[in-house]
Amino acid sequence: MGEKVVAGQFDLSDRQRYRDKLRRCVTGLERLLAEQRFDRPQNLMGLEIELNLVGTDGMPRMLNGEVLERIASRDFQTELAMFNLEVNIAPHRLGGRVFDRLAEELRTSLAYADRKAGEVDAGIVMIGILPTLDRDDLVSSNLSDVDRYTLLNDQIVAARGEDFVLDIDGVERLTCTSKSIAPEAACTSVQLHLQVTPGRFADVWNAAQAVAGVQIAVGANSPFLFGRELWCESRPPLFQQSTDTRPPELQAQGVRPRTWFGERWISSAYDLFEENLRYFPALLPICDEEDPLEVLDQGGVPSLAELVLHNGTVYRWNRPVYGIADGVPHLRVENRVLPAGPTITDVIANAAFYYGLVRALAEEPRPVWTRLPFEAAAANFDAACRYGIDARMVWPRRSRHGGTVEVDAVTLVRDELLPLADAGLAGWGVEPADRDLYLGVIEERCRRRTNGASWQTATFHRALEAGLSREAALAATTRRYGELMHRGEPVHTWPVGLPEPVPLG
């Protein structure tokens, strides 16, 4: 939610006015779609990565204000907590050697940011959840000093009306409570944007939903929280529980959570925006002066400010985005599934796999979502979060008899999805060198059954076996992770365990 908002109080009339305005925005969107006012295909993609600030001891550093002041670049912004930053890469056209160019831009940007963070004895680490975070780090006093975060926290807390309960049962079980949404800040993610025409939006979104579980299986990188080993990708349950406006009674009634996989395949982008209006009360009922329908009547392009703001407080794993560039409206699918890291090469490999796969699946004559129940896609996502590279997936059979079959995620990726991703990237015009390099990273992860989560847990257990305490083992694992991350070789090549101590004398 990047909009600039001002902290304040809302009364009953604010919420009613906002709801009415939101309805006018959705009507305005419907008209824009009917009048075919949206941008033509441009094959544009974008990338955002959330980052952690960490000291040389592997512990979080609450210094994003000071680090951003030193970085002094609009490409870097605050995130929810003081140990978070976000880097935004300008949109690129898919094709040619785009992924190599992206990798070089990211290396340059992150190396610069890391140098600037070093001026205040901190460093940049890309990881889904920082293993050394403690409950005392994730409190409201450590939220970034930005009005919109304070206001969002206040409104979610007020809507819930009681403490947030975190209860994640994985390899170990974590149960605790929080008085704020600060635990959400532990989740650092990669967001992949793809600009699409209205006619292609539903196919791309459906394809992205279908492969969300596979993305997590090969890319999981968040096995620890508050000293506990939980799921291979613990961000989704943590994000849902730390932003959950529903007290237990509403959960029991089946009220939908604001962090949401969804419940059906769609036929139009309109379906998602309309669902957001129908299912989710406003958290930030801030009204813009613009009347979107009057703007349309005058031949203009409305900003749909209320719709954009509301959409930013519904945390779908594949989110619809309305935007305007050079006076022309456009739609994007924002894929929010992946954790940050482990390396820039891994991030770009995950991106290449995603962009190739969604294109290929969106263009299939018998799309996967016509052969896979939505409930199976949601179950795949859950299984991948729990078991990572060892997850099993339900997927449509390739035989003419149809139906579905359960298969290892790595087998599904290597035998069926990597060739599709390669074909999809070829369709975008991506050169073979980029396709081979970055899809080869995904193939090697599958061959070795290794991703960021498996490396973290294996290294942590080696540290425990070497006699370190749990706290020391997590800190040592984090320091080693940071060292290997900055070297830049993809995670499937990382040696498990801590380096041998150098003998003295």
Side-chain angles (χ1 to χ4, degrees):
M1 186 197 67
E3 294 78 12
K4 187 174 183 179
V5 298
V6 179
Q9 298 298 314
F10 304 114
D11 59 28
L12 299 179
S13 63
D14 290 325
R15 296 187 181 279
Q16 183 61 54
R17 186 163 58 251
Y18 185 86
R19 184 182 291 112
D20 293 342
K21 192 72 179 295
L22 195 52
R23 288 186 182 123
R24 293 181 72 80
C25 284
V26 172
T27 301
L29 176 68
E30 191 174 26
R31 279 181 55 179
L32 283 166
L33 290 167
E35 295 168 10
Q36 300 183 343
R37 298 277 300 278
F38 284 87
D39 201 2
R40 297 182 300 279
Q42 296 195 41
N43 298 352
L44 287 177
M45 55 84 69
L47 179 68
E48 305 168 46
I49 308 176
E50 295 162 352
L51 308 165
N52 292 279
L53 290 172
V54 177
T56 55
D57 56 359
M59 308 305 286
R61 301 296 303 275
M62 307 295 168
L63 293 168
N64 66 359
E66 292 93 320
V67 172
L68 283 170
E69 191 174 311
R70 284 167 169 78
I71 292 173
S73 167
R74 286 181 296 179
D75 293 343
F76 287 84
Q77 299 174 357
T78 55
E79 257 299 326
L80 184 59
M82 292 182 184
F83 63 90
N84 298 143
L85 298 177
E86 180 176 89
V87 59
N88 297 282
I89 299 299
H92 282 61
R93 194 176 304 279
L94 279 160
R97 299 300 302 272
V98 63
F99 294 111
D100 254 5
R101 291 199 306 275
L102 278 169
E104 189 55 38
E105 284 183 34
L106 277 171
R107 287 188 188 101
T108 301
S109 293
L110 294 189
Y112 173 72
D114 193 60
R115 287 196 304 273
K116 291 299 180 181
E119 295 175 5
V120 290
D121 298 320
I124 302 289
V125 172
M126 288 192 300
I127 193 167
I129 295 176
L130 192 64
T132 50
L133 283 169
D134 184 79
R135 287 177 60 185
D136 291 340
D137 296 319
L138 292 166
V139 293
S140 56
S141 58
N142 283 336
L143 293 177
S144 293
D145 187 20
V146 178
D147 282 342
R148 70 176 181 269
Y149 298 132
T150 302
L151 183 54
L152 184 65
N153 176 69
D154 291 347
Q155 294 302 305
I156 291 178
V157 168
R160 182 173 174 85
E162 57 190 80
D163 287 355
F164 297 88
V165 176
L166 304 183
D167 187 350
I168 305 173
D169 194 4
V171 176
E172 299 173 303
R173 187 170 185 177
L174 170 71
T175 55
C176 62
T177 61
S178 173
K179 295 187 179 300
S180 75
I181 65 170
E184 180 207 324
C187 305
T188 44
S189 310
V190 172
Q191 286 104 44
L192 302 173
H193 290 256
L194 180 59
Q195 184 176 325
V196 293
T197 60
R200 284 179 56 82
F201 185 96
D203 288 348
V204 171
W205 187 87
N206 288 339
Q209 288 285 98
V211 301
V214 172
Q215 286 182 275
I216 288 288
V218 297
N221 196 29
S222 314
F224 297 108
L225 178 65
F226 299 162
R228 298 284 193 276
E229 183 181 347
L230 301 174
W231 294 8
C232 290
E233 188 51 55
S234 303
R235 287 167 39 259
L238 172 58
F239 206 116
Q240 177 174 322
Q241 293 176 18
S242 61
T243 59
D244 201 342
T245 55
R246 309 168 303 162
E249 296 81 4
L250 293 184
Q251 295 179 37
Q253 292 173 36
V255 172
R256 296 159 183 83
R258 295 190 86 96
T259 301
W260 197 36
F261 187 80
E263 61 191 17
R264 64 188 176 109
W265 306 117
I266 64 166
S267 58
S268 165
Y270 177 83
D271 295 350
L272 300 176
F273 289 105
E274 189 276 333
E275 272 188 351
N276 287 354
L277 168 61
R278 186 154 38 99
Y279 292 152
F280 300 105
L283 288 177
L284 302 171
I286 301 167
C287 286
D288 190 79
E289 294 298 317
E290 174 190 87
D291 185 318
L293 301 185
E294 286 184 6
V295 172
L296 280 168
D297 289 342
Q298 294 164 10
V301 176
S303 65
L304 304 185
E306 292 80 10
L307 177 142
V308 170
L309 181 59
H310 185 59
N311 189 58
T313 66
V314 180
Y315 305 105
R316 295 178 184 270
W317 294 109
N318 285 292
R319 177 190 271 165
V321 178
Y322 171 87
I324 300 172
D326 300 323
V328 182
H330 66 263
L331 294 172
R332 303 194 304 273
V333 174
E334 180 191 13
N335 178 260
R336 306 173 60 251
V337 167
L338 290 164
T343 66
I344 289 168
T345 298
D346 287 301
V347 168
I348 299 301
N350 291 338
F353 182 53
Y354 168 76
Y355 286 117
L357 195 50
V358 292
R359 174 165 181 145
L361 291 177
E363 292 179 346
E364 280 193 318
R366 289 187 63 218
V368 62
W369 56 92
T370 66
R371 299 176 287 133
L372 182 72
F374 192 91
E375 295 75 19
N380 286 345
F381 183 71
D382 186 73
C385 291
R386 288 176 183 271
Y387 306 115
I389 202 79
D390 295 320
R392 291 181 63 79
M393 303 271 158
V394 173
W395 199 254
R397 293 181 188 273
R398 284 187 281 182
S399 71
R400 59 189 177 86
H401 301 295
T404 59
V405 63
E406 189 176 276
V407 61
D408 280 346
V410 293
T411 302
L412 174 63
V413 171
R414 291 179 70 185
D415 292 354
E416 187 169 347
L417 300 185
L418 276 172
L420 281 172
D422 185 68
L425 291 177
W428 290 120
V430 174
E431 290 187 16
D434 263 21
R435 285 155 33 204
D436 293 346
L437 173 60
Y438 292 108
L439 295 183
V441 170
I442 304 297
E443 185 172 19
E444 281 298 299
R445 282 193 221 149
C446 291
R447 188 175 71 81
R448 304 185 193 199
R449 286 184 175 264
T450 297
N451 58 19
S454 68
W455 183 90
Q456 287 187 57
T457 54
T459 297
F460 167 71
H461 286 288
R462 288 270 186 95
L464 290 180
E465 290 163 8
L468 271 65
S469 68
R470 173 175 286 252
E471 186 176 288
L474 287 168
T477 298
T478 303
R479 292 194 298 271
R480 180 62 170 161
Y481 177 104
E483 176 189 335
L484 293 170
M485 183 209 86
H486 284 291
R487 287 186 192 172
E489 294 299 319
V491 72
H492 68 263
T493 68
W494 291 8
V496 169
L498 305 176
E500 294 292 328
V502 177
L504 299 175

